[in-house]
Amino acid sequence: PAHAGVFQLIAKAKCHFTNGTKKVRFVVRYIYNREQLMHFDSDVGLYVGDTPYGEKVARYYNSKPERLEYNRGIVDTYCRRNYEVFAPFSVDR
């Protein structure tokens, strides 16, 4: 009740590595007040809604080809490029 007026919007991005850099997946989750609204998965290549409102926002984002192309390209420009940085903390565990 003390925090009833607090709203939280979070976007969490992760790179998933399988077999080194042979299989790389980029996932972004959009969370509002501890509920996942939608997510982008580079394997799917589209935004996917996880709630009714998230489906509406995902349709809007999927209608923007430049946004989709940018997120699809992050696998190469961010994940694979920074593999040597990520590996000691995520892969080697």
Side-chain angles (χ1 to χ4, degrees):
H3 300 288
V6 176
F7 299 100
Q8 187 177 45
L9 179 62
I10 300 172
K12 289 190 173 191
K14 290 185 180 181
C15 295
H16 297 271
F17 300 99
T18 307
N19 196 12
T21 58
K22 297 204 186 308
K23 176 75 173 132
V24 181
R25 197 171 140 216
F26 175 70
V27 178
V28 183
R29 300 180 321 142
Y30 296 89
I31 302 163
Y32 179 73
N33 281 356
R34 296 182 287 183
E35 180 180 25
Q36 184 169 314
L37 298 178
M38 66 178 183
H39 66 277
F40 176 85
D41 187 341
S42 64
D43 283 352
V44 177
L46 295 171
Y47 287 89
V48 178
D50 298 317
T51 65
Y53 177 71
E55 289 175 6
K56 184 177 180 179
V57 177
R59 275 194 302 274
Y60 173 74
Y61 283 171
N62 287 333
S63 72
K64 306 289 184 189
E66 64 279 354
R67 185 178 187 112
L68 291 173
E69 192 61 33
Y70 174 79
N71 278 337
R72 291 174 187 149
I74 287 179
V75 169
D76 293 320
T77 60
Y78 181 70
C79 294
R80 281 195 177 97
R81 176 180 261 177
N82 292 306
Y83 175 76
E84 297 300 325
V85 175
F86 296 145
F89 301 103
S90 61
V91 179
D92 295 337
R93 289 185 167 203

